[in-house]
């Protein structure tokens, strides 16, 4: 039986019995860093993220690879595959095989299968009023990757972005479940606002975000106005009508609300009494807002 409590953009849940459901997801993308091993690791972390965002445990993966036939050293392909395999091993996820094709543009990722307890599944429809919003990773991977492609990204910004993208959301999911979280989403291609709006819509509430509380990758603010990918602009055009701004806000910070993230963190809706304990267990996690009764807009941004 299909479980429809979560309407992820690239994942689905199928109930096997009262205690067990399958989570199946797929994700692949073009390089976001220059180092092939890091690219493979980031692709794996990103593909695994949907399973963690539901409170699940990844079991198996199949690789998806598109490599150029010419001017693409075999060592690069080997490093990409090894980077992904190392990250899957870290997650305890078995690589069963995969499929590769020839393509002028490099692409890499995984189809992942995991297990989740339907009674404890994190969904985007279980948000309630009076909860804290906690973001577990900083924003800005999109503008940094765009600047890297243009050859102007600061080395320190690229290194920290790569480290963040390669970090598994496993611990964040485990801590969330231990502290009574029932609503969550991973922050990926639709940016913080796009994924937050999905929770607000499906839960029938409004999310209030404190703009100045958002954690940002180093260098992201400086790059936000000048290195916006097409996805960022599309996100803003689609989701900004759902947002009410309160107070004057720095435009660069507003931009990062819509920045498409690669292997971003989890946005958790945490019971207020559990917030301090949860934050204490997750290095880098920040309280970035709260939930309230539904208003005229899905999202209110305070500055």
């Amino acid at each position: 039986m299909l479980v429809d409590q979560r309407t992820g953009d690239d994942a689905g849940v199928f109930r096997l019995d009262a205690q067990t459901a399958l989570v199946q997801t797929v994700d692949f993308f073009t390089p976001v860093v220059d180092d092939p091993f890091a690219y493979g690791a980031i692709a794996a972390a990103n593909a695994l993220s949907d399973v963690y965002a539901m409170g699940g445990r990844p079991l198996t993966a199949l690789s998806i690879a598109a490599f150029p036939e010419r001017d693409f050293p075999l060592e690069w392909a080997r490093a990409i595959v090894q980077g992904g395999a190392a990250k899957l091993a870290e997650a305890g996820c078995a690589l069963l095989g995969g499929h590769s094709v020839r393509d002028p543009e490099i692409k890499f990722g995984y189809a992942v299968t995991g297990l989740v307890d339907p009674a404890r599944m994190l969904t985007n429809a279980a948000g309630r009023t009076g909860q804290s919003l906690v973001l577990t990773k900083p924003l800005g991977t999109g503008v940094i990757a765009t600047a890297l492609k243009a050859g102007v990204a600061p080395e320190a910004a690229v290194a920290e972005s790569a480290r963040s993208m390669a970090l598994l959301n496993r611990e964040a999911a485990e801590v969330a479940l231990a502290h009574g979280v029932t609503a969550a989403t991973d922050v990926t291609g639709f940016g913080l606002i796009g994924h937050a709006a999905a929770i607000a819509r499906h839960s029938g509430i409004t999310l209030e975000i404190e703009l100045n509380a958002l954690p940002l990758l180093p260098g992201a603010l400086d790059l936000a106005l000048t290195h916006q990918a097409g996805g960022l602009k599309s996100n803003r055009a689609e989701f900004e009508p759902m947002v009410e701004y309160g107070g004057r806000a720095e435009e660069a910070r507003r931009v990062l609300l819509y920045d498409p993230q690669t292997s971003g963190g989890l946005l958790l809706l945490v019971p207020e009494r559990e917030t301090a304990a949860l934050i204490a267990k997750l290095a880098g996690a920040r309280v970035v807002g709260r939930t309230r009764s539904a208003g005229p807009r899905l999202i209110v941004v305070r500055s």
Side-chain angles (χ1 to χ4, degrees):
M1 180 178 68
L2 184 67
V3 177
D4 62 359
Q5 289 174 284
R6 175 185 166 89
T7 55
D9 56 311
D10 51 14
V13 181
F14 188 85
R15 188 192 298 269
L16 297 176
D17 54 41
Q19 291 79 38
T20 312
L22 285 179
V23 179
Q24 295 197 292
T25 181
V26 59
D27 215 321
F28 61 99
F29 49 81
T30 57
V32 291
V33 292
D34 289 335
D35 180 82
F37 187 92
Y39 168 46
I42 290 165
N46 182 74
L48 292 162
S49 186
D50 264 318
V51 177
Y52 293 131
M54 297 182 192
R57 176 172 61 90
L59 289 180
T60 64
L62 297 170
S63 65
I64 302 165
F67 296 144
E69 185 175 6
R70 300 178 180 177
D71 301 321
F72 187 74
L74 181 61
E75 308 86 74
W76 293 1
R78 183 181 296 112
I80 291 169
V81 171
Q82 288 174 339
K87 187 58 61 172
L88 291 177
E90 180 185 338
C93 182
L95 179 60
L96 300 185
H99 186 71
S100 62
V101 297
R102 296 172 180 174
D103 193 303
E105 187 174 38
I106 304 167
K107 304 176 187 71
F108 189 70
Y110 294 92
V112 178
T113 298
L115 293 179
V116 66
D117 180 348
R120 302 186 70 212
M121 186 169 68
L122 303 176
T123 82
N124 60 16
R128 302 292 180 264
T129 59
Q131 295 177 314
S132 302
L133 301 180
V134 173
L135 185 61
T136 66
K137 286 187 185 182
L139 302 174
T141 66
V143 295
I144 292 172
T146 303
L148 178 62
K149 291 176 183 178
V152 297
E155 186 175 331
V158 173
E160 185 57 25
S161 180
R163 187 204 67 80
S164 179
M165 289 187 288
L167 179 66
L168 293 175
N169 282 324
R170 176 177 56 190
E171 183 182 12
E174 292 172 349
V175 171
L177 289 171
H179 287 277
V181 174
T182 57
T185 183
D186 54 340
V187 180
T188 53
F190 292 131
L192 176 62
I193 291 296
H195 292 284
I199 285 186
R201 181 186 304 109
H202 291 293
S203 298
I205 57 177
T206 287
L207 272 58
E208 187 173 291
I209 294 173
E210 297 291 340
L211 188 63
N212 293 327
L214 294 175
L216 305 177
L217 287 165
L221 203 59
D222 295 332
L223 298 169
L225 296 181
T226 55
H227 292 85
Q228 299 176 22
L232 189 156
K233 297 174 183 178
S234 297
N235 285 346
R236 193 164 190 179
E238 181 174 356
F239 299 120
E240 195 162 37
M242 305 174 187
V243 177
E244 172 190 325
Y245 293 108
R248 299 183 64 182
E250 183 182 358
E251 175 62 12
R253 290 186 187 274
R254 285 193 184 187
V255 165
L256 291 172
L257 291 168
Y258 305 93
D259 188 40
Q261 302 302 285
T262 298
S263 192
L266 301 185
L267 179 64
L268 307 173
L269 277 62
V270 185
E272 189 173 347
R273 66 183 181 278
E274 298 285 345
T275 303
L278 180 143
I279 287 289
K281 293 180 180 178
L282 291 176
R286 298 288 183 272
V287 177
V288 299
R290 63 198 60 81
T291 62
R292 69 185 203 189
S293 300
R297 302 288 177 91
L298 294 175
I299 307 292
V300 174
V301 175
R302 300 291 185 195
S303 53

